[in-house]
PDB file of all heavy atoms in Angstrom:
ATOM      1  N   SER B 272       2.363   9.910 -16.838  1.00  0.00           N
ATOM      2  CA  SER B 272       3.695   9.351 -16.520  1.00  0.00           C
ATOM      3  C   SER B 272       4.620   9.263 -17.718  1.00  0.00           C
ATOM      4  O   SER B 272       5.821   9.415 -17.550  1.00  0.00           O
ATOM      5  CB  SER B 272       3.558   8.029 -15.805  1.00  0.00           C
ATOM      6  OG  SER B 272       2.494   7.253 -16.312  1.00  0.00           O
ATOM      7  N   LEU B 273       4.077   9.107 -18.928  1.00  0.00           N
ATOM      8  CA  LEU B 273       4.943   9.107 -20.122  1.00  0.00           C
ATOM      9  C   LEU B 273       5.373  10.496 -20.397  1.00  0.00           C
ATOM     10  O   LEU B 273       6.569  10.776 -20.843  1.00  0.00           O
ATOM     11  CB  LEU B 273       4.213   8.578 -21.331  1.00  0.00           C
ATOM     12  CG  LEU B 273       3.915   7.064 -21.342  1.00  0.00           C
ATOM     13  CD1 LEU B 273       2.971   6.746 -22.495  1.00  0.00           C
ATOM     14  CD2 LEU B 273       5.200   6.244 -21.444  1.00  0.00           C
ATOM     15  N   THR B 274       4.561  11.477 -20.183  1.00  0.00           N
ATOM     16  CA  THR B 274       4.892  12.864 -20.457  1.00  0.00           C
ATOM     17  C   THR B 274       5.774  13.483 -19.416  1.00  0.00           C
ATOM     18  O   THR B 274       6.742  14.193 -19.763  1.00  0.00           O
ATOM     19  CB  THR B 274       3.547  13.720 -20.582  1.00  0.00           C
ATOM     20  OG1 THR B 274       2.681  13.016 -21.521  1.00  0.00           O
ATOM     21  CG2 THR B 274       3.806  15.094 -21.120  1.00  0.00           C
ATOM     22  N   LEU B 275       5.430  13.319 -18.177  1.00  0.00           N
ATOM     23  CA  LEU B 275       6.151  14.043 -17.074  1.00  0.00           C
ATOM     24  C   LEU B 275       6.881  13.099 -16.090  1.00  0.00           C
ATOM     25  O   LEU B 275       7.463  13.596 -15.174  1.00  0.00           O
ATOM     26  CB  LEU B 275       5.183  14.919 -16.322  1.00  0.00           C
ATOM     27  CG  LEU B 275       4.595  16.101 -17.167  1.00  0.00           C
ATOM     28  CD1 LEU B 275       3.571  16.888 -16.266  1.00  0.00           C
ATOM     29  CD2 LEU B 275       5.687  17.029 -17.617  1.00  0.00           C
ATOM     30  N   GLY B 276       6.725  11.805 -16.325  1.00  0.00           N
ATOM     31  CA  GLY B 276       7.354  10.877 -15.380  1.00  0.00           C
ATOM     32  C   GLY B 276       8.887  10.796 -15.556  1.00  0.00           C
ATOM     33  O   GLY B 276       9.418  11.222 -16.574  1.00  0.00           O
ATOM     34  N   THR B 277       9.556  10.272 -14.540  1.00  0.00           N
ATOM     35  CA  THR B 277      10.979  10.070 -14.640  1.00  0.00           C
ATOM     36  C   THR B 277      11.247   8.557 -14.360  1.00  0.00           C
ATOM     37  O   THR B 277      10.409   7.879 -13.858  1.00  0.00           O
ATOM     38  CB  THR B 277      11.752  10.876 -13.595  1.00  0.00           C
ATOM     39  OG1 THR B 277      11.161  10.688 -12.297  1.00  0.00           O
ATOM     40  CG2 THR B 277      11.692  12.403 -13.993  1.00  0.00           C
ATOM     41  N   GLU B 278      12.454   8.150 -14.724  1.00  0.00           N
ATOM     42  CA  GLU B 278      12.782   6.766 -14.616  1.00  0.00           C
ATOM     43  C   GLU B 278      12.731   6.274 -13.191  1.00  0.00           C
ATOM     44  O   GLU B 278      13.342   6.906 -12.310  1.00  0.00           O
ATOM     45  CB  GLU B 278      14.201   6.535 -15.216  1.00  0.00           C
ATOM     46  CG  GLU B 278      14.220   5.351 -16.064  1.00  0.00           C
ATOM     47  CD  GLU B 278      15.630   5.256 -16.722  1.00  0.00           C
ATOM     48  OE1 GLU B 278      15.840   6.095 -17.627  1.00  0.00           O
ATOM     49  OE2 GLU B 278      16.352   4.377 -16.351  1.00  0.00           O
ATOM     50  N   GLY B 279      12.093   5.193 -12.939  1.00  0.00           N
ATOM     51  CA  GLY B 279      12.003   4.665 -11.537  1.00  0.00           C
ATOM     52  C   GLY B 279      11.480   3.237 -11.579  1.00  0.00           C
ATOM     53  O   GLY B 279      11.193   2.685 -12.620  1.00  0.00           O
ATOM     54  N   VAL B 280      11.377   2.712 -10.386  1.00  0.00           N
ATOM     55  CA  VAL B 280      10.882   1.356 -10.195  1.00  0.00           C
ATOM     56  C   VAL B 280       9.558   1.380  -9.450  1.00  0.00           C
ATOM     57  O   VAL B 280       9.513   1.917  -8.287  1.00  0.00           O
ATOM     58  CB  VAL B 280      11.861   0.427  -9.511  1.00  0.00           C
ATOM     59  CG1 VAL B 280      11.275  -0.866  -9.122  1.00  0.00           C
ATOM     60  CG2 VAL B 280      13.034   0.176 -10.445  1.00  0.00           C
ATOM     61  N   LEU B 281       8.485   0.909 -10.019  1.00  0.00           N
ATOM     62  CA  LEU B 281       7.242   0.785  -9.306  1.00  0.00           C
ATOM     63  C   LEU B 281       6.557  -0.507  -9.681  1.00  0.00           C
ATOM     64  O   LEU B 281       6.559  -0.872 -10.858  1.00  0.00           O
ATOM     65  CB  LEU B 281       6.294   2.011  -9.694  1.00  0.00           C
ATOM     66  CG  LEU B 281       4.875   1.959  -9.117  1.00  0.00           C
ATOM     67  CD1 LEU B 281       4.902   2.051  -7.552  1.00  0.00           C
ATOM     68  CD2 LEU B 281       4.055   3.067  -9.704  1.00  0.00           C
ATOM     69  N   HIS B 282       6.017  -1.220  -8.661  1.00  0.00           N
ATOM     70  CA  HIS B 282       5.307  -2.478  -8.934  1.00  0.00           C
ATOM     71  C   HIS B 282       6.113  -3.431  -9.740  1.00  0.00           C
ATOM     72  O   HIS B 282       5.548  -4.072 -10.647  1.00  0.00           O
ATOM     73  CB  HIS B 282       3.930  -2.201  -9.558  1.00  0.00           C
ATOM     74  CG  HIS B 282       3.070  -1.406  -8.618  1.00  0.00           C
ATOM     75  ND1 HIS B 282       2.175  -0.482  -9.043  1.00  0.00           N
ATOM     76  CD2 HIS B 282       3.008  -1.404  -7.244  1.00  0.00           C
ATOM     77  CE1 HIS B 282       1.533   0.078  -8.024  1.00  0.00           C
ATOM     78  NE2 HIS B 282       2.023  -0.516  -6.910  1.00  0.00           N
ATOM     79  N   GLY B 283       7.395  -3.524  -9.494  1.00  0.00           N
ATOM     80  CA  GLY B 283       8.148  -4.583 -10.056  1.00  0.00           C
ATOM     81  C   GLY B 283       8.814  -4.308 -11.412  1.00  0.00           C
ATOM     82  O   GLY B 283       9.527  -5.161 -11.941  1.00  0.00           O
ATOM     83  N   SER B 284       8.586  -3.154 -11.988  1.00  0.00           N
ATOM     84  CA  SER B 284       9.304  -2.868 -13.218  1.00  0.00           C
ATOM     85  C   SER B 284       9.857  -1.474 -13.262  1.00  0.00           C
ATOM     86  O   SER B 284       9.357  -0.548 -12.602  1.00  0.00           O
ATOM     87  CB  SER B 284       8.513  -3.276 -14.480  1.00  0.00           C
ATOM     88  OG  SER B 284       7.479  -2.337 -14.690  1.00  0.00           O
TER      89      SER B 284
END
Side-chain angles (χ1 to χ4, degrees):
Chain B
S272 33
L273 289 170
T274 307
L275 293 178
T277 51
E278 223 173 291
V280 167
L281 176 63
H282 297 144
S284 72

